[in-house]
Coordinates of all heavy atoms in Angstrom, one line a residue:
M1 N -62.9 -13.0 11.4 CA -64.2 -13.6 11.7 C -64.2 -15.1 11.3 O -63.3 -15.5 10.5 CB -65.3 -12.9 10.9 CG -66.7 -13.3 11.4 SD -68.0 -12.3 10.6 CE -68.2 -13.2 9.1
T2 N -65.0 -15.8 11.9 CA -65.2 -17.2 11.5 C -66.7 -17.6 11.6 O -67.4 -16.9 12.3 CB -64.4 -18.2 12.4 OG1 -64.5 -19.5 11.9 CG2 -64.8 -18.2 13.8
F3 N -67.1 -18.7 11.0 CA -68.4 -19.2 11.2 C -68.3 -20.3 12.3 O -67.2 -20.9 12.4 CB -69.0 -19.7 9.9 CG -69.6 -18.5 9.1 CD1 -68.8 -17.5 8.6 CD2 -71.0 -18.4 9.0 CE1 -69.4 -16.5 7.9 CE2 -71.6 -17.4 8.2 CZ -70.8 -16.4 7.7
V4 N -69.4 -20.6 12.9 CA -69.4 -21.5 14.1 C -70.6 -22.5 14.0 O -71.7 -22.0 13.6 CB -69.5 -20.7 15.4 CG1 -69.6 -21.6 16.6 CG2 -68.4 -19.7 15.5
I5 N -70.4 -23.7 14.3 CA -71.5 -24.7 14.3 C -71.9 -24.9 15.7 O -71.1 -25.1 16.6 CB -71.0 -26.1 13.7 CG1 -70.7 -25.8 12.2 CG2 -72.2 -27.1 13.8 CD1 -70.2 -27.1 11.5
T6 N -73.2 -24.9 16.0 CA -73.8 -24.9 17.3 C -74.6 -26.1 17.6 O -74.7 -27.0 16.7 CB -74.6 -23.6 17.6 OG1 -75.7 -23.6 16.7 CG2 -73.7 -22.3 17.4
E7 N -75.3 -26.1 18.7 CA -75.9 -27.3 19.2 C -76.9 -28.0 18.3 O -77.0 -29.3 18.4 CB -76.7 -26.9 20.5 CG -77.3 -28.1 21.2 CD -77.9 -27.7 22.6 OE1 -77.2 -27.6 23.5 OE2 -79.1 -27.4 22.6
P8 N -77.7 -27.4 17.5 CA -78.6 -28.1 16.6 C -78.0 -29.2 15.7 O -78.6 -30.1 15.3 CB -79.3 -27.0 15.8 CG -79.2 -25.8 16.7 CD -77.9 -25.9 17.3
C9 N -76.7 -29.0 15.5 CA -76.0 -30.0 14.7 C -75.9 -31.3 15.4 O -75.8 -32.4 14.8 CB -74.6 -29.5 14.3 SG -73.6 -30.6 13.3
L10 N -75.8 -31.3 16.7 CA -75.7 -32.5 17.5 C -76.7 -33.6 17.1 O -77.9 -33.3 17.2 CB -75.8 -32.2 19.0 CG -74.6 -31.9 19.9 CD1 -75.0 -31.7 21.3 CD2 -73.6 -33.1 19.8
G11 N -76.3 -34.7 16.7 CA -77.2 -35.8 16.3 C -77.8 -35.6 15.0 O -78.5 -36.5 14.5
T12 N -77.6 -34.5 14.3 CA -78.2 -34.2 13.0 C -77.1 -34.6 11.9 O -77.4 -35.4 11.1 CB -78.6 -32.8 12.8 OG1 -79.5 -32.4 13.8 CG2 -79.3 -32.6 11.4
C13 N -76.0 -33.9 12.0 CA -74.9 -34.2 11.1 C -75.3 -34.4 9.7 O -75.0 -35.4 9.0 CB -74.1 -35.5 11.6 SG -73.4 -35.3 13.2
D14 N -76.0 -33.5 9.1 CA -76.5 -33.6 7.8 C -75.4 -33.6 6.7 O -75.6 -34.2 5.7 CB -77.5 -32.4 7.6 CG -78.1 -32.4 6.2 OD1 -79.0 -33.2 5.9 OD2 -77.6 -31.6 5.3
T15 N -74.3 -32.9 7.0 CA -73.1 -32.8 6.2 C -73.3 -32.0 4.9 O -72.4 -31.9 4.1 CB -72.5 -34.2 5.8 OG1 -73.3 -34.9 4.8 CG2 -72.3 -35.1 7.0
S16 N -74.5 -31.3 4.8 CA -74.7 -30.4 3.6 C -73.6 -29.3 3.6 O -73.2 -28.9 2.5 CB -76.1 -29.8 3.6 OG -77.0 -30.7 3.7
C17 N -73.3 -28.9 4.8 CA -72.3 -27.8 4.9 C -71.0 -28.2 4.3 O -70.3 -27.4 3.7 CB -72.2 -27.3 6.3 SG -71.7 -28.6 7.5
V18 N -70.6 -29.4 4.6 CA -69.3 -29.9 4.1 C -69.1 -29.8 2.6 O -68.1 -29.4 2.1 CB -69.0 -31.4 4.6 CG1 -67.7 -31.9 4.1 CG2 -69.1 -31.4 6.1
D19 N -70.2 -30.1 1.9 CA -70.2 -30.2 0.5 C -70.0 -28.8 -0.2 O -69.4 -28.7 -1.3 CB -71.6 -30.7 -0.1 CG -71.8 -32.1 0.3 OD1 -70.8 -32.8 0.6 OD2 -73.0 -32.6 0.3
V20 N -70.4 -27.7 0.5 CA -70.2 -26.4 -0.1 C -69.0 -25.6 0.4 O -68.7 -24.6 -0.2 CB -71.5 -25.6 0.1 CG1 -72.7 -26.3 -0.5 CG2 -71.7 -25.3 1.6
C21 N -68.3 -26.1 1.4 CA -67.2 -25.3 1.9 C -66.0 -25.4 0.9 O -65.5 -26.4 0.6 CB -66.8 -25.9 3.2 SG -65.4 -24.9 3.9
P22 N -65.6 -24.2 0.4 CA -64.6 -24.2 -0.6 C -63.2 -24.4 -0.1 O -62.3 -24.7 -0.9 CB -64.7 -22.7 -1.1 CG -65.2 -21.9 0.0 CD -66.1 -22.8 0.7
V23 N -63.0 -24.4 1.2 CA -61.7 -24.6 1.8 C -61.6 -25.9 2.7 O -60.6 -26.1 3.4 CB -61.2 -23.4 2.6 CG1 -60.9 -22.2 1.6 CG2 -62.1 -23.0 3.7
D24 N -62.7 -26.7 2.7 CA -62.7 -28.0 3.4 C -62.3 -27.8 4.8 O -61.4 -28.6 5.3 CB -61.7 -29.0 2.7 CG -61.9 -30.4 3.2 OD1 -63.0 -30.7 3.6 OD2 -61.0 -31.2 3.1
C25 N -62.9 -26.9 5.5 CA -62.5 -26.7 6.9 C -63.6 -27.1 7.9 O -63.6 -26.8 9.1 CB -62.2 -25.2 7.2 SG -63.6 -24.1 7.1
I26 N -64.6 -28.0 7.4 CA -65.6 -28.5 8.3 C -65.3 -30.0 8.6 O -65.4 -30.8 7.6 CB -67.0 -28.3 7.7 CG1 -67.2 -26.8 7.4 CG2 -68.1 -28.8 8.7 CD1 -68.5 -26.5 6.7
H27 N -65.1 -30.3 9.8 CA -64.8 -31.7 10.1 C -65.4 -32.1 11.5 O -65.8 -31.2 12.2 CB -63.2 -31.9 10.2 CG -62.5 -31.5 8.9 ND1 -62.5 -32.4 7.9 CD2 -61.9 -30.4 8.5 CE1 -61.8 -31.8 6.9 NE2 -61.5 -30.6 7.2
G28 N -65.4 -33.4 11.7 CA -65.9 -33.9 13.0 C -65.2 -35.2 13.3 O -64.2 -35.6 12.6
P29 N -65.6 -35.8 14.4 CA -64.9 -37.0 14.9 C -65.1 -38.2 13.9 O -64.4 -39.2 14.0 CB -65.5 -37.3 16.2 CG -66.8 -36.6 16.2 CD -66.7 -35.4 15.3
L30 N -66.2 -38.1 13.1 CA -66.4 -39.1 12.0 C -66.3 -38.5 10.7 O -66.6 -37.3 10.5 CB -67.8 -39.8 12.2 CG -68.1 -40.5 13.5 CD1 -69.5 -41.0 13.6 CD2 -67.1 -41.7 13.7
S31 N -65.9 -39.2 9.7 CA -65.8 -38.7 8.3 C -67.3 -38.6 7.7 O -68.2 -39.3 8.3 CB -65.0 -39.6 7.4 OG -65.6 -40.8 7.2
V32 N -67.4 -37.9 6.7 CA -68.7 -37.8 6.0 C -69.2 -39.3 5.6 O -70.3 -39.7 5.7 CB -68.7 -36.9 4.8 CG1 -69.9 -37.1 3.9 CG2 -68.5 -35.5 5.2
E33 N -68.2 -40.0 5.1 CA -68.5 -41.4 4.6 C -69.0 -42.3 5.8 O -70.0 -43.0 5.7 CB -67.3 -42.1 4.0 CG -66.9 -41.4 2.7 CD -66.2 -40.1 2.8 OE1 -65.7 -39.8 3.9 OE2 -66.1 -39.3 1.9
E34 N -68.4 -42.1 7.0 CA -68.8 -42.9 8.1 C -70.2 -42.5 8.6 O -71.0 -43.3 9.0 CB -67.8 -42.7 9.3 CG -66.5 -43.4 9.0 CD -65.4 -43.0 10.1 OE1 -65.3 -41.8 10.5 OE2 -64.6 -43.9 10.5
I35 N -70.5 -41.1 8.5 CA -71.8 -40.7 8.9 C -72.9 -41.2 8.0 O -73.9 -41.7 8.4 CB -71.8 -39.1 9.0 CG1 -71.0 -38.6 10.1 CG2 -73.2 -38.6 9.1 CD1 -70.7 -37.1 10.1
E36 N -72.6 -41.2 6.7 CA -73.5 -41.6 5.7 C -73.8 -43.1 5.9 O -74.9 -43.6 5.8 CB -73.0 -41.4 4.3 CG -73.1 -39.9 3.9 CD -72.5 -39.5 2.6 OE1 -71.8 -40.4 2.0 OE2 -72.7 -38.4 2.1
Q37 N -72.8 -43.9 6.2 CA -73.0 -45.3 6.4 C -73.8 -45.6 7.6 O -74.7 -46.5 7.6 CB -71.6 -46.0 6.6 CG -71.7 -47.5 6.5 CD -72.3 -48.1 5.2 OE1 -71.8 -47.7 4.2 NE2 -73.3 -48.9 5.3
I38 N -73.6 -44.8 8.7 CA -74.4 -45.0 9.9 C -75.9 -44.8 9.6 O -76.8 -45.5 10.0 CB -73.9 -44.1 11.0 CG1 -72.6 -44.6 11.6 CG2 -75.0 -43.9 12.1 CD1 -71.9 -43.7 12.5
K39 N -76.2 -43.7 8.8 CA -77.5 -43.4 8.4 C -78.1 -44.5 7.5 O -79.3 -44.9 7.6 CB -77.6 -42.1 7.7 CG -77.4 -40.9 8.7 CD -77.5 -39.6 8.1 CE -77.3 -38.5 9.2 NZ -77.4 -37.1 8.7
L40 N -77.3 -45.0 6.6 CA -77.8 -46.1 5.7 C -78.1 -47.3 6.5 O -79.0 -48.1 6.2 CB -76.7 -46.4 4.7 CG -76.5 -45.5 3.5 CD1 -75.3 -45.9 2.7 CD2 -77.8 -45.6 2.6
D41 N -77.4 -47.5 7.6 CA -77.6 -48.7 8.4 C -78.8 -48.5 9.4 O -79.1 -49.4 10.2 CB -76.3 -49.0 9.2 CG -75.2 -49.5 8.3 OD1 -75.5 -49.9 7.2 OD2 -74.0 -49.5 8.8
G42 N -79.3 -47.3 9.4 CA -80.5 -47.0 10.3 C -80.0 -46.9 11.7 O -80.8 -47.2 12.6
E43 N -78.8 -46.5 12.0 CA -78.3 -46.5 13.3 C -78.0 -45.1 13.8 O -77.0 -44.8 14.4 CB -77.0 -47.3 13.4 CG -77.3 -48.8 13.1 CD -76.0 -49.7 13.2 OE1 -74.9 -49.2 13.0 OE2 -76.2 -50.9 13.5
E44 N -79.0 -44.2 13.5 CA -78.8 -42.7 13.8 C -78.5 -42.5 15.3 O -77.9 -41.5 15.6 CB -80.0 -41.9 13.4 CG -80.1 -41.7 11.9 CD -80.8 -42.8 11.1 OE1 -81.0 -43.9 11.7 OE2 -81.1 -42.6 9.9
A45 N -78.9 -43.4 16.2 CA -78.7 -43.2 17.6 C -77.2 -43.1 17.9 O -76.8 -42.4 18.8 CB -79.3 -44.4 18.4
K46 N -76.4 -43.6 17.0 CA -74.9 -43.6 17.2 C -74.4 -42.1 17.0 O -73.3 -41.8 17.4 CB -74.2 -44.5 16.2 CG -74.3 -45.9 16.5 CD -73.5 -46.7 15.5 CE -73.4 -48.2 15.8 NZ -72.7 -49.0 14.8
L47 N -75.2 -41.3 16.4 CA -74.8 -39.9 16.1 C -75.2 -38.9 17.2 O -75.0 -37.7 17.1 CB -75.4 -39.4 14.8 CG -75.0 -40.2 13.6 CD1 -75.7 -39.8 12.3 CD2 -73.4 -40.2 13.3
A48 N -75.9 -39.4 18.3 CA -76.5 -38.5 19.3 C -75.5 -37.5 19.8 O -75.8 -36.4 20.1 CB -77.1 -39.3 20.4
D49 N -74.3 -37.9 20.0 CA -73.3 -37.1 20.6 C -72.3 -36.5 19.6 O -71.2 -36.0 20.0 CB -72.5 -37.8 21.7 CG -73.3 -38.2 22.9 OD1 -74.3 -37.5 23.2 OD2 -73.1 -39.3 23.4
I50 N -72.6 -36.6 18.3 CA -71.7 -36.2 17.3 C -72.1 -34.9 16.6 O -73.3 -34.8 16.3 CB -71.6 -37.3 16.2 CG1 -71.2 -38.7 16.8 CG2 -70.7 -36.9 15.0 CD1 -69.8 -38.7 17.3
Q51 N -71.2 -34.0 16.4 CA -71.5 -32.9 15.6 C -70.2 -32.6 14.8 O -69.2 -33.1 15.0 CB -71.9 -31.6 16.4 CG -70.7 -31.0 17.2 CD -71.0 -29.5 17.5 OE1 -71.6 -29.2 18.6 NE2 -70.6 -28.6 16.6
L52 N -70.4 -31.7 13.8 CA -69.2 -31.2 13.1 C -68.8 -29.8 13.6 O -69.5 -29.1 14.3 CB -69.5 -31.2 11.6 CG -70.0 -32.5 10.9 CD1 -70.0 -32.4 9.4 CD2 -69.1 -33.7 11.4
Y53 N -67.6 -29.5 13.2 CA -67.0 -28.2 13.7 C -66.3 -27.5 12.5 O -65.9 -28.1 11.6 CB -65.9 -28.5 14.8 CG -66.5 -29.2 16.0 CD1 -66.3 -30.6 16.0 CD2 -67.1 -28.6 17.0 CE1 -66.8 -31.4 17.1 CE2 -67.6 -29.3 18.1 CZ -67.4 -30.7 18.1 OH -67.9 -31.4 19.2
I54 N -66.2 -26.1 12.7 CA -65.5 -25.3 11.7 C -64.2 -24.9 12.2 O -64.1 -24.4 13.3 CB -66.4 -24.1 11.3 CG1 -67.6 -24.5 10.5 CG2 -65.6 -23.1 10.5 CD1 -68.6 -23.4 10.3
D55 N -63.1 -25.1 11.4 CA -61.8 -24.7 11.8 C -61.6 -23.2 11.7 O -61.6 -22.7 10.5 CB -60.7 -25.5 11.0 CG -59.3 -25.3 11.5 OD1 -59.1 -24.3 12.2 OD2 -58.4 -26.1 11.2
P56 N -61.5 -22.5 12.8 CA -61.5 -21.0 12.6 C -60.2 -20.5 12.0 O -60.2 -19.4 11.5 CB -61.6 -20.5 14.1 CG -61.1 -21.7 14.9 CD -61.5 -22.9 14.2
A57 N -59.2 -21.3 12.0 CA -57.9 -20.9 11.4 C -58.0 -21.0 9.8 O -57.1 -20.4 9.2 CB -56.8 -21.7 11.9
I58 N -58.9 -21.7 9.3 CA -59.0 -22.0 7.9 C -60.2 -21.3 7.2 O -60.2 -20.9 6.1 CB -58.9 -23.5 7.6 CG1 -57.6 -24.1 8.1 CG2 -59.0 -23.7 6.1 CD1 -57.4 -25.5 7.9
C59 N -61.3 -21.2 8.0 CA -62.5 -20.6 7.4 C -62.3 -19.3 6.8 O -61.6 -18.4 7.5 CB -63.5 -20.5 8.6 SG -65.1 -19.7 8.1
I60 N -62.8 -19.0 5.6 CA -62.5 -17.8 4.9 C -63.8 -16.9 5.0 O -63.9 -15.9 4.3 CB -62.1 -17.9 3.5 CG1 -63.2 -18.8 2.7 CG2 -60.7 -18.6 3.4 CD1 -62.9 -18.8 1.2
D61 N -64.7 -17.3 5.9 CA -65.9 -16.4 6.1 C -66.8 -16.2 4.9 O -67.4 -15.1 4.7 CB -65.5 -15.1 6.7 CG -64.5 -15.2 7.9 OD1 -64.6 -16.2 8.6 OD2 -63.7 -14.3 8.0
C62 N -66.8 -17.2 4.0 CA -67.6 -17.0 2.8 C -69.1 -17.0 3.0 O -69.9 -16.5 2.2 CB -67.2 -18.0 1.7 SG -67.7 -19.7 2.1
G63 N -69.5 -17.7 4.1 CA -70.9 -17.8 4.4 C -71.7 -18.9 3.6 O -72.9 -19.0 3.8
A64 N -71.0 -19.6 2.7 CA -71.7 -20.6 1.9 C -72.4 -21.7 2.7 O -73.4 -22.2 2.3 CB -70.7 -21.2 0.9
C65 N -71.8 -22.0 3.8 CA -72.4 -23.1 4.6 C -73.7 -22.8 5.4 O -74.5 -23.6 5.6 CB -71.3 -23.6 5.7 SG -70.7 -22.3 6.7
E66 N -73.8 -21.5 5.8 CA -74.9 -21.1 6.7 C -76.3 -21.5 6.1 O -77.1 -22.1 6.8 CB -74.8 -19.6 7.0 CG -75.8 -19.2 8.0 CD -75.7 -17.7 8.2 OE1 -74.9 -17.0 7.6 OE2 -76.5 -17.2 9.1
P67 N -76.6 -21.1 4.9 CA -77.9 -21.4 4.4 C -78.2 -22.9 4.1 O -79.3 -23.3 3.9 CB -78.1 -20.6 3.1 CG -76.7 -20.4 2.7 CD -75.8 -20.3 3.9
E68 N -77.1 -23.7 4.0 CA -77.2 -25.1 3.7 C -77.7 -26.0 4.8 O -78.2 -27.1 4.7 CB -75.9 -25.7 3.2 CG -75.4 -25.0 1.9 CD -76.4 -25.2 0.7 OE1 -76.9 -26.3 0.6 OE2 -76.6 -24.3 0.0
C69 N -77.5 -25.5 6.0 CA -77.8 -26.3 7.2 C -79.3 -26.4 7.4 O -80.0 -25.4 7.6 CB -77.1 -25.7 8.5 SG -77.5 -26.7 9.9
P70 N -79.8 -27.6 7.4 CA -81.3 -27.8 7.6 C -81.8 -27.5 9.0 O -83.0 -27.3 9.2 CB -81.5 -29.3 7.2 CG -80.2 -29.9 7.6 CD -79.1 -28.9 7.3
V71 N -80.9 -27.4 9.9 CA -81.4 -27.1 11.3 C -80.8 -25.8 11.8 O -80.9 -25.5 13.1 CB -80.9 -28.3 12.3 CG1 -81.7 -29.5 11.9 CG2 -79.4 -28.5 12.2
E72 N -80.3 -24.9 10.9 CA -79.9 -23.6 11.3 C -78.9 -23.6 12.5 O -79.0 -22.9 13.5 CB -81.1 -22.7 11.6 CG -81.9 -22.5 10.4 CD -83.1 -21.5 10.6 OE1 -83.1 -20.8 11.5 OE2 -84.0 -21.5 9.7
A73 N -77.9 -24.5 12.3 CA -76.9 -24.6 13.4 C -75.7 -23.7 13.2 O -74.9 -23.5 14.1 CB -76.4 -26.0 13.5
I74 N -75.6 -23.0 12.0 CA -74.4 -22.3 11.7 C -74.6 -20.8 11.8 O -75.6 -20.3 11.2 CB -73.9 -22.6 10.3 CG1 -73.7 -24.2 10.1 CG2 -72.6 -21.9 10.0 CD1 -73.3 -24.6 8.7
F75 N -73.7 -20.1 12.5 CA -73.8 -18.7 12.6 C -72.4 -18.1 12.4 O -71.4 -18.7 12.7 CB -74.2 -18.3 14.0 CG -75.6 -18.8 14.4 CD1 -75.7 -20.1 14.9 CD2 -76.7 -18.1 14.2 CE1 -77.0 -20.6 15.3 CE2 -78.0 -18.6 14.6 CZ -78.1 -19.8 15.1
D76 N -72.4 -16.8 12.0 CA -71.1 -16.1 12.0 C -70.8 -15.8 13.5 O -71.7 -15.7 14.3 CB -71.0 -14.9 11.1 CG -71.8 -13.7 11.6 OD1 -71.4 -13.2 12.7 OD2 -72.8 -13.4 11.0
E77 N -69.6 -15.6 13.8 CA -69.2 -15.6 15.3 C -69.9 -14.4 16.0 O -70.0 -14.4 17.2 CB -67.7 -15.5 15.4 CG -67.0 -14.3 14.9 CD -65.5 -14.3 15.2 OE1 -65.2 -14.4 16.4 OE2 -64.7 -14.2 14.3
Y78 N -70.3 -13.4 15.3 CA -70.9 -12.2 15.9 C -72.4 -12.4 16.1 O -73.0 -11.6 16.7 CB -70.6 -11.0 15.1 CG -69.1 -10.7 15.0 CD1 -68.5 -10.7 13.8 CD2 -68.3 -10.4 16.1 CE1 -67.1 -10.5 13.7 CE2 -67.0 -10.2 16.1 CZ -66.4 -10.2 14.8 OH -65.0 -10.0 14.7
H79 N -73.0 -13.5 15.6 CA -74.4 -13.7 15.7 C -74.7 -15.0 16.3 O -75.9 -15.5 16.2 CB -75.1 -13.5 14.3 CG -75.0 -12.1 13.8 ND1 -74.0 -11.7 13.0 CD2 -75.8 -11.1 14.0 CE1 -74.2 -10.4 12.7 NE2 -75.3 -10.0 13.3
V80 N -73.8 -15.6 17.0 CA -74.1 -16.9 17.7 C -75.0 -16.5 18.9 O -74.7 -15.6 19.7 CB -72.8 -17.5 18.3 CG1 -73.1 -18.7 19.1 CG2 -71.9 -17.9 17.2
P81 N -76.2 -17.2 19.0 CA -77.1 -16.9 20.2 C -76.3 -17.1 21.5 O -75.5 -18.0 21.6 CB -78.2 -17.9 20.0 CG -78.2 -18.2 18.5 CD -76.7 -18.1 18.1
D82 N -76.7 -16.2 22.5 CA -76.0 -16.3 23.8 C -75.9 -17.7 24.4 O -74.9 -18.1 24.9 CB -76.6 -15.3 24.7 CG -76.3 -13.8 24.4 OD1 -75.4 -13.6 23.6 OD2 -77.0 -13.0 24.9
K83 N -77.1 -18.4 24.2 CA -77.1 -19.7 24.8 C -76.1 -20.7 24.3 O -75.9 -21.7 24.9 CB -78.6 -20.3 24.7 CG -79.0 -20.5 23.3 CD -80.5 -20.9 23.2 CE -81.0 -21.0 21.8 NZ -82.4 -21.3 21.7
W84 N -75.6 -20.4 23.1 CA -74.6 -21.3 22.4 C -73.3 -20.6 22.3 O -72.4 -21.1 21.5 CB -75.1 -21.7 21.1 CG -76.4 -22.6 21.1 CD1 -76.7 -23.5 22.1 CD2 -77.5 -22.6 20.2 NE1 -77.9 -24.0 21.8 CE2 -78.4 -23.5 20.7 CE3 -77.7 -21.9 19.0 CZ2 -79.6 -23.8 20.0 CZ3 -78.9 -22.2 18.3 CH2 -79.8 -23.1 18.8
S85 N -73.0 -19.6 23.1 CA -71.7 -18.9 22.9 C -70.5 -19.7 23.2 O -69.4 -19.5 22.7 CB -71.7 -17.6 23.8 OG -71.9 -18.0 25.2
D86 N -70.7 -20.8 24.0 CA -69.6 -21.7 24.3 C -69.1 -22.5 23.0 O -68.1 -23.1 23.0 CB -69.9 -22.6 25.4 CG -71.2 -23.4 25.2 OD1 -72.1 -23.0 24.5 OD2 -71.2 -24.5 25.8
Y87 N -70.0 -22.5 22.0 CA -69.6 -23.2 20.8 C -68.5 -22.6 20.0 O -67.8 -23.2 19.2 CB -70.8 -23.5 19.9 CG -71.6 -24.6 20.4 CD1 -72.5 -24.4 21.5 CD2 -71.5 -25.9 19.9 CE1 -73.3 -25.5 22.0 CE2 -72.2 -27.0 20.5 CZ -73.1 -26.8 21.5 OH -73.8 -27.8 22.0
L88 N -68.2 -21.3 20.3 CA -67.0 -20.6 19.7 C -65.8 -21.4 20.1 O -64.9 -21.8 19.3 CB -67.0 -19.2 20.1 CG -67.6 -18.1 19.2 CD1 -67.8 -16.8 20.0 CD2 -66.8 -17.9 18.0
D89 N -65.7 -21.6 21.4 CA -64.5 -22.3 21.9 C -64.5 -23.8 21.5 O -63.5 -24.4 21.3 CB -64.5 -22.2 23.5 CG -64.0 -20.8 23.9 OD1 -63.5 -20.1 23.1 OD2 -64.3 -20.5 25.1
K90 N -65.7 -24.4 21.5 CA -65.8 -25.8 21.2 C -65.4 -26.1 19.8 O -64.7 -27.1 19.5 CB -67.3 -26.3 21.3 CG -67.7 -26.5 22.8 CD -69.2 -27.1 22.8 CE -69.6 -27.3 24.3 NZ -71.0 -27.8 24.4
N91 N -65.7 -25.2 18.8 CA -65.3 -25.4 17.5 C -63.8 -25.3 17.4 O -63.1 -26.1 16.8 CB -65.9 -24.4 16.5 CG -67.3 -24.8 16.1 OD1 -67.6 -25.0 14.9 ND2 -68.3 -24.9 17.0
A92 N -63.2 -24.3 18.0 CA -61.7 -24.1 18.0 C -61.0 -25.2 18.6 O -60.0 -25.7 18.1 CB -61.4 -22.7 18.6
A93 N -61.6 -25.7 19.8 CA -60.9 -26.7 20.6 C -60.8 -28.0 19.8 O -59.8 -28.8 20.0 CB -61.6 -26.9 21.9
F94 N -61.8 -28.3 19.0 CA -61.7 -29.6 18.2 C -60.5 -29.7 17.4 O -59.9 -30.8 17.2 CB -63.0 -29.7 17.4 CG -63.0 -31.0 16.6 CD1 -63.3 -32.2 17.2 CD2 -62.7 -31.0 15.2 CE1 -63.3 -33.4 16.4 CE2 -62.6 -32.2 14.5 CZ -63.0 -33.4 15.1
F95 N -60.0 -28.6 16.9 CA -58.9 -28.6 16.0 C -57.5 -28.4 16.7 O -56.5 -28.5 16.1 CB -59.0 -27.5 14.9 CG -60.2 -27.8 14.1 CD1 -61.4 -27.2 14.3 CD2 -60.1 -28.7 13.0 CE1 -62.5 -27.4 13.5 CE2 -61.2 -29.0 12.2 CZ -62.4 -28.3 12.5
E96 N -57.6 -28.2 18.0 CA -56.4 -28.1 18.9 C -56.0 -29.5 19.4 O -54.9 -29.6 20.0 CB -56.6 -27.1 20.0 CG -56.7 -25.7 19.5 CD -57.3 -24.8 20.6 OE1 -57.6 -25.2 21.7 OE2 -57.4 -23.6 20.3
E97 N -56.9 -30.5 19.3 CA -56.6 -31.8 19.9 C -55.5 -32.5 19.1 O -55.3 -32.3 17.9 CB -57.8 -32.7 19.9 CG -58.8 -32.2 20.9 CD -60.2 -32.9 20.7 OE1 -60.3 -33.8 19.9 OE2 -61.1 -32.5 21.5
Ligands
LIG101 S1 -73.9 -27.7 10.7 FE1 -75.9 -28.2 9.8 S2 -75.4 -28.9 7.7 FE2 -73.4 -28.9 8.9 S3 -73.3 -31.0 9.6 FE3 -74.3 -29.9 11.2 S4 -76.5 -30.1 10.8 FE4 -75.4 -30.7 9.0
LIG102 S1 -68.0 -19.8 6.0 FE1 -67.2 -20.6 4.1 S2 -65.1 -21.2 4.5 FE2 -66.2 -20.9 6.5 S3 -66.9 -22.9 7.0 FE3 -68.6 -21.9 6.0 S4 -68.3 -22.6 3.8 FE4 -66.4 -23.0 4.9

């Protein structure tokens, strides 16, 4: 099993999930530091197309990230809402690049 980050993360990028992950398997196109700087600069619009992803090869299914997300973007792979089922592949694909 793995956990999956879905659409509500887009443009939110709160990064709370990153802080609690014991195996550091949550990453995105920008680092946490870059995201924080963008928010400090008041340039949140730059994050509109940005989200973070969970590496399914490293995730140990601990579930620690799920309750930390303020926008309820994280699901275990068996409970991803149908409308966001493509995010299973999107998360995996990010780490194949
Ligand atoms: S999944 Fe939730 S907590 Fe993690 S970066 Fe996205 S919005 Fe933030
Ligand atoms: S379930 Fe655990 S290991 Fe997997 S991404 Fe969330 S915090 Fe990390």
Side-chain angles (χ1 to χ4, degrees):
M1 193 175 85
T2 184
F3 278 67
V4 179
I5 298 179
T6 62
E7 186 176 276
C9 182
L10 264 180
T12 305
C13 296
D14 179 76
T15 72
S16 305
C17 56
V18 177
D19 295 338
V20 300
C21 180
V23 292
D24 192 27
C25 70
I26 304 175
H27 301 279
L30 298 176
S31 69
V32 170
E33 292 75 20
E34 289 171 321
I35 290 170
E36 287 175 348
Q37 189 60 52
I38 286 171
K39 291 182 176 180
L40 280 173
D41 293 343
E43 297 180 331
E44 282 86 348
K46 287 183 176 176
L47 300 174
D49 295 327
I50 302 291
Q51 74 156 90
L52 302 191
Y53 304 93
I54 292 172
D55 188 341
I58 299 179
C59 174
I60 58 171
D61 312 329
C62 71
C65 55
E66 183 182 6
E68 296 300 319
C69 180
V71 292
E72 297 184 15
I74 304 175
F75 299 87
D76 75 67
E77 66 177 301
Y78 300 116
H79 292 92
V80 176
D82 287 345
K83 61 185 175 183
W84 295 325
S85 58
D86 55 332
Y87 280 82
L88 268 164
D89 287 343
K90 285 184 180 178
N91 278 245
F94 179 77
F95 297 96
E96 290 166 0
E97 289 171 1

